[in-house]
Amino acid sequence: MPRLTALAAASTLGLGLLGLPTAGATGLDASPATALVDQGIPYGDVTGDGHPDILLPDSAGNLRAIENTTDTAETGRIVAAAVNSPTGTWQGVQITHHSSLRGGIGHDELIAHQPGDPRTSLYQSSPTGFSSSTSFFLNGTVTQGPVTCLDGGGATIACPSELGTDWSNATQVLAVGSVTNETTSTPARTNLVAVIGTKLWLFSPGSNNVKLLAPTDTLLSGLDWSDYDLIGPGPANGTTTCTDTAGTTTTTSQATLWTRERSTGRILAYPITRNPAKNCAVDVSALADPAQGTVIGTGIDPTAYPVIGSVGDLTGDGIPDLYGANSAGQVTMWPGTTGDTTGHPGTVTGFEPALAH
């Protein structure tokens, strides 16, 4: 049994996380490439042990990783000191991780945004933890500049005024994974999804370590997403097989967006697929309306679980899972279940009962 599952079953997962002293294991593994060779590309993994990690701040403002295999799982290993956060504490900072915006990285790097800040930061991992960062604007560079806007179908549109050229109006930023394909031999760069104003946007990775994002941004939805918490489980819609106009058939494993509807506690899923009518172009039409997502879970009350998220497969069965943290920092996990074995094998269609904290 994976250690994280065992800890949850033993009711010890994450106990006291927000009241920990600063002593204990720190930093990241010096050789994360080992996990890449042994177990494939470990999306969700920040510590280099080949398993996804949940990141939460402690009461001192340090960022800790609840790991799947190490003996520090009950308390969390410090992966970023408070002093290295954008504000001097990781409490209140939006954090997300799924692969990296840089190419060829065999583990996750951290993306952080302080609400109201005009820049978002990419933190590179090192043996001492997340300490070195690059802050960038909407165009993906350290220098503020214009961007081009597209609609969900790929047509150029006028950029809405609330978008601007920085992240000041972003209320949520999520590393959602690759909307193109994660079934590759090298780590796929992540896309970002963000709520800016009330609208939902997609940001594509850039071409190199200087241009972290492409300067072309896609408006996924002009509707109101302010009641929805964005969740990135990775490719939770199984695989998509599509044949283009040349007769070439490809199978891809693409990112899925989940949300928690705050007013109801429902978990909704929005698959990103391929459109055979458009030569198998990436199809983001399922994200046009937040209310039209497929309901895959219920009863995840934001008052009980103010933090909600996913880092992919936590139980070791290959199926993405959901976790929530209460106001005391205690973590509860809901293992994902699959259905639709013929249409989209591997699609997460629900969750097992909670593994209590």
Side-chain angles (χ1 to χ4, degrees):
M1 176 183 291
R3 180 168 176 77
L4 189 57
T5 307
L7 287 168
S11 300
T12 59
L13 181 61
L15 286 178
L17 186 63
L18 295 186
L20 291 170
T22 56
T26 61
L28 309 180
D29 288 356
S31 302
T34 302
L36 181 63
V37 173
D38 293 343
Q39 302 185 36
I41 301 167
Y43 295 111
D45 174 30
V46 301
T47 61
D49 66 358
H51 302 280
D53 305 297
I54 298 170
L55 302 185
L56 292 172
D58 64 20
S59 59
N62 301 305
L63 190 63
R64 293 182 178 260
I66 300 176
E67 300 177 83
N68 205 3
T69 59
T70 73
D71 289 336
T72 57
E74 293 94 333
T75 59
R77 152 196 278 191
I78 296 175
V79 294
V83 68
N84 293 323
S85 77
T87 63
T89 175
W90 288 101
Q91 294 184 17
V93 177
Q94 300 169 348
I95 57 170
T96 181
H97 62 98
H98 186 100
S99 187
S100 176
L101 289 172
R102 303 189 301 147
I105 309 298
H107 53 90
D108 287 6
E109 295 188 318
L110 183 65
I111 295 169
H113 178 250
Q114 171 66 17
D117 195 315
R119 296 178 296 177
T120 287
S121 297
L122 172 69
Y123 282 78
Q124 299 178 22
S125 58
S126 73
T128 59
F130 292 113
S131 56
S132 175
S133 66
T134 300
S135 297
F136 56 92
F137 294 93
L138 286 187
N139 63 6
T141 74
V142 298
T143 303
Q144 193 167 9
V147 295
T148 299
C149 295
L150 306 176
D151 65 16
T156 302
I157 59 173
C159 294
S161 59
E162 70 267 23
L163 180 67
T165 56
D166 63 36
W167 300 93
S168 298
N169 293 327
T171 57
Q172 297 185 69
V173 179
L174 177 75
V176 74
S178 173
V179 302
T180 304
N181 189 19
E182 291 194 0
T183 308
T184 59
S185 58
T186 57
R189 285 185 170 99
T190 189
N191 291 79
L192 301 184
V193 173
V195 176
I196 298 181
T198 60
K199 300 178 176 64
L200 188 69
W201 289 86
L202 175 70
F203 301 90
S204 298
S207 56
N208 54 50
N209 292 353
V210 176
K211 299 177 181 179
L212 293 173
L213 292 176
T216 303
D217 308 329
T218 300
L219 179 61
L220 296 173
S221 174
L223 301 180
D224 188 352
W225 287 74
S226 59
D227 186 43
Y228 296 84
D229 293 313
L230 304 184
I231 303 168
N237 194 53
T239 57
T240 296
T241 299
C242 187
T243 302
D244 62 20
T245 54
T248 301
T249 299
T250 57
T251 298
T252 51
S253 183
Q254 298 165 257
T256 301
L257 179 68
W258 290 346
T259 67
R260 192 257 306 270
E261 188 177 29
R262 295 171 187 154
S263 58
T264 66
R266 300 189 302 172
I267 305 297
L268 299 97
Y270 313 80
I272 298 172
T273 59
R274 299 278 181 177
N275 187 345
K278 293 188 176 181
N279 206 26
C280 293
V282 173
D283 187 348
V284 294
S285 60
L287 289 78
D289 185 345
Q292 295 304 309
T294 300
V295 178
I296 59 173
T298 58
I300 315 298
D301 187 346
T303 59
Y305 301 100
V307 175
I308 192 76
S310 176
V311 289
D313 174 26
L314 288 166
T315 63
D317 61 0
I319 303 171
D321 307 306
L322 183 71
Y323 73 85
N326 65 17
S327 58
Q330 297 169 320
V331 175
T332 296
M333 179 172 56
W334 295 267
T337 60
T338 59
D340 190 15
T341 56
T342 55
H344 287 280
T347 301
V348 177
T349 56
F351 300 97
E352 295 178 10
L355 297 176
H357 53 71

